[in-house]
Amino acid sequence: MSERKVLNKYYPPDFDPSKIPKLKLPKDRQYVVRLMAPFNMRCKTCGEYIYKGKKFNARKETVQNETYMGLPIFRFYIKCTRCLAEITFKTDPENTDYAMEHGATRNFQAEKLIEEEEKRIQQEREEEELNNPMKVLENRTKDSKLEMEVLENLQELKELNQRQALVDFEGMIDQYREMEKREREREKEEDEREMKEMLDRALVKRLRESDSDSETEEESSSKQSNKSSSDKPTDILTADKPTEAEGASAGGAKKAKVESWERSVGTLGGKGALGSLIVRKKPVMTVSKPSSVTETAAPISQTDSKPATTDASKPVTTQNGSSSLSLLGAYSDSDSNDSE
């Protein structure tokens, strides 16, 4: 399979290159090339800085009547990025560098200036020695004196190095490392000791708190046991209740605490309790009754005449000493006899 893009051309066997006409191009013709700025420069027109490595579409031409050892010198034309002023520079094969020619000034070329100054001084010295033998002698004396100073300085440096060579740098480094190690161990021991002290203080505090808690629990349990031993379940039945007179004398004081068994069962004086068993005497009718009934009815009227003064919680007694319940039974028996 043949290549898609063929760079070579086919030349037939009868090809004669001498028949191809030659183009007559000028020697100072220009080409458009793509290049980067070889050094930092500043435009003289607007003061714009152009850094090294910035790309330009430059025009290239060969400098006429100027070569270096048979090598041609090329000139490049670029435009400022701000004011579009033309800047030119050319190659410098002698110094393997580029030389600014027109439109800008080169920056940061101190090293190059120093080298040029040294070359200039050397050329001037050679010219002076060429025509003045006394100048040659003076220059040789200065050179020898400078050489002696340099040798002395070198000898001092050698002696200094020999003195420093006796110093054991490895031993010094090992000693420094040992000191650092001891310091770290000391800090570690201090940290452990402080931590142990803190834990001991926390443990003592916890033990004290636990002891106080146990003491309070023992005191509360002893109080409860004493209270339970002193109190009996039947004490609530034998305890005296505050009378109505005491409640009235108290005025705006709070009411006595009602026990749970009183709230659930009630007292004897309540309407829904045993107080309903007491029957009041009805008005006396003209019907004659047995003497036994009349004798027993008289005390009932006495009990009915003062219902508010008696306490409902206590059983009502008659003059004969019998309870109201027995009177109720006798009254019911008399009623049954009358009906018969």
Side-chain angles (χ1 to χ4, degrees):
M1 183 176 181
S2 62
E3 296 182 1
R4 185 173 63 86
K5 292 183 178 180
V6 180
L7 302 178
N8 297 327
K9 303 296 182 181
Y10 174 72
Y11 295 98
D14 57 348
F15 174 71
D16 187 5
S18 63
K19 295 180 180 180
I20 299 175
K22 295 182 180 180
L23 296 175
K24 294 182 179 180
L25 298 176
K27 294 182 179 179
D28 57 348
R29 64 183 183 275
Q30 294 181 351
Y31 301 94
V32 178
V33 295
R34 183 76 170 173
L35 58 81
M36 292 186 294
F39 46 77
N40 297 308
M41 64 184 79
R42 185 182 181 186
C43 180
K44 290 182 178 179
T45 306
C46 63
E48 178 71 10
Y49 286 95
I50 300 173
Y51 59 89
K52 181 180 179 180
K54 190 171 181 60
K55 294 182 179 180
F56 292 94
N57 292 325
R59 291 180 290 114
K60 172 187 173 185
E61 68 177 8
T62 305
V63 179
Q64 298 298 320
N65 302 325
E66 189 175 352
T67 59
Y68 175 74
M69 299 179 67
L71 298 175
I73 297 175
F74 301 101
R75 181 181 288 113
F76 300 93
Y77 298 87
I78 62 174
K79 291 184 179 181
C80 177
T81 57
R82 184 176 179 183
C83 64
L84 301 178
E86 191 174 58
I87 299 172
T88 61
F89 56 90
K90 60 182 180 181
T91 58
D92 186 7
E94 183 179 0
N95 300 315
T96 61
D97 197 2
Y98 291 84
M100 176 58 64
E101 190 176 18
H102 174 72
T105 57
R106 184 171 178 175
N107 301 331
F108 309 112
Q109 54 179 352
E111 185 178 357
K112 184 179 180 180
L113 294 175
I114 291 172
E115 292 177 357
E116 291 177 356
E117 186 67 20
E118 289 178 353
K119 288 181 180 179
R120 185 182 61 78
I121 293 171
Q122 185 68 21
Q123 289 177 1
E124 290 178 358
R125 181 178 178 181
E126 290 177 358
E127 290 175 0
E128 289 178 356
E129 290 178 354
L130 183 62
N131 299 322
N132 191 354
M134 292 299 294
K135 193 70 174 177
V136 175
L137 183 61
E138 290 178 0
N139 291 336
R140 287 180 181 176
T141 306
K142 289 180 181 178
D143 292 342
S144 61
K145 187 177 180 180
L146 181 62
E147 186 177 357
M148 292 295 293
E149 291 179 356
V150 171
L151 290 174
E152 289 178 359
N153 294 333
L154 182 60
Q155 187 65 26
E156 289 179 359
L157 291 174
K158 286 182 179 179
E159 292 177 357
L160 182 62
N161 290 334
Q162 289 178 358
R163 288 196 301 270
Q164 291 181 353
L166 300 176
V167 179
D168 188 8
F169 294 101
E170 295 294 334
M172 294 174 63
I173 293 172
D174 295 339
Q175 186 178 2
Y176 179 73
R177 290 176 179 173
E178 186 67 22
M179 291 174 62
E180 284 186 346
K181 185 177 180 181
R182 287 198 299 268
E183 186 67 20
R184 287 196 296 269
E185 290 178 356
R186 186 180 62 81
E187 292 178 356
K188 186 176 180 181
E189 290 177 358
E190 290 181 356
D191 295 340
E192 291 179 355
R193 181 172 54 79
E194 291 179 357
M195 188 180 296
K196 187 176 180 181
E197 291 178 357
M198 293 174 64
L199 291 174
D200 293 340
R201 288 197 296 268
L203 182 60
V204 170
K205 185 177 180 181
R206 190 175 297 175
L207 290 173
R208 290 177 179 175
E209 291 178 354
S210 61
D211 292 341
S212 61
D213 294 340
S214 61
E215 289 177 359
T216 52
E217 290 177 358
E218 290 176 357
E219 290 177 358
S220 60
S221 61
S222 61
K223 289 180 180 179
Q224 290 178 0
S225 62
N226 294 332
K227 185 177 179 181
S228 60
S229 61
S230 61
D231 296 340
K232 295 180 180 179
T234 56
D235 290 344
I236 195 170
L237 301 176
T238 59
D240 296 335
K241 296 182 179 179
T243 57
E244 293 179 359
E246 290 177 356
S249 64
K254 296 181 180 179
K255 296 180 179 180
K257 184 177 179 182
V258 181
E259 298 295 338
S260 59
W261 62 273
E262 292 180 352
R263 290 196 299 269
S264 60
V265 178
T267 58
L268 295 174
K271 293 182 179 179
L274 299 176
S276 59
L277 298 176
I278 301 173
V279 180
R280 298 177 183 274
K281 181 182 177 182
K282 296 180 180 180
V284 179
M285 303 300 290
T286 55
V287 180
S288 62
K289 292 182 180 180
S291 60
S292 61
V293 176
T294 56
E295 290 177 358
T296 57
I300 293 173
S301 62
Q302 292 177 1
T303 57
D304 293 339
S305 61
K306 297 179 181 180
T309 57
T310 59
D311 192 356
S313 61
K314 297 180 181 180
V316 180
T317 56
T318 59
Q319 294 178 355
N320 297 327
S322 61
S323 63
S324 60
L325 297 177
S326 61
L327 291 173
L328 180 60
Y331 186 70
S332 58
D333 293 337
S334 63
D335 290 340
S336 62
N337 293 327
D338 291 338
S339 61
E340 290 175 358

